Amino acid sequence: MSSKVSFEGIGEVIATFYAGDGVTAGQVVKLSGDSKVAACTAGERFCGLSVSVKTGCAAVQVGGFAEVPCTDSTVAVGLETLTADGSGGVKKAGSGDAGEEYLVVSKDTAGFVTLKM
């Protein structure tokens, strides 16, 4: 859907962490140690979105509105309990998943949702 509204940059908070092996830009991450993040496996709670990775460090968006990969067609606009999908994106939390409630403000057909971190 083409939109005249944008949530880009609103309330954005980015912190620098040490990046664990396999952390890439554009994936949700979890805290894995003192000042360190790692890629999430399916069903894990995420702490933010890695926006860039350079020289062993990751810039992680931990606040504000973020566009996050999501191929789960059941995720809808509104309050949703989300968890990591194991491939860098998010999905609706199922039984036994460690999820957290997020406000999903938009969903596109390209496999992304915009949510308030």
Side-chain angles (χ1 to χ4, degrees):
M1 168 171 84
S2 177
S3 180
K4 293 182 180 181
V5 299
S6 173
F7 300 97
E8 187 176 352
I10 298 173
E12 190 174 77
V13 177
I14 296 179
T16 303
F17 293 87
Y18 294 110
D21 292 338
V23 173
T24 61
Q27 70 180 160
V28 293
V29 294
K30 65 182 177 182
L31 201 57
S32 64
D34 185 4
S35 305
K36 187 174 184 178
V37 293
C40 294
T41 59
E44 287 187 315
R45 185 175 289 170
F46 56 94
C47 69
L49 176 71
S50 174
V51 294
S52 73
V53 179
K54 293 181 182 175
T55 61
C57 291
V60 178
Q61 184 174 349
V62 295
F65 289 88
E67 187 177 68
V68 179
C70 178
T71 56
D72 182 350
S73 63
T74 66
V75 173
V77 171
L79 290 173
E80 286 278 22
T81 302
L82 302 175
T83 189
D85 68 5
S87 60
V90 299
K91 66 177 184 166
K92 191 181 283 191
S95 177
D97 288 340
E100 189 167 326
E101 192 171 67
Y102 292 90
L103 176 62
V104 177
V105 295
S106 70
K107 179 179 178 178
D108 68 20
T109 57
F112 288 89
V113 293
T114 301
L115 56 89
K116 184 171 183 313
M117 300 295 272

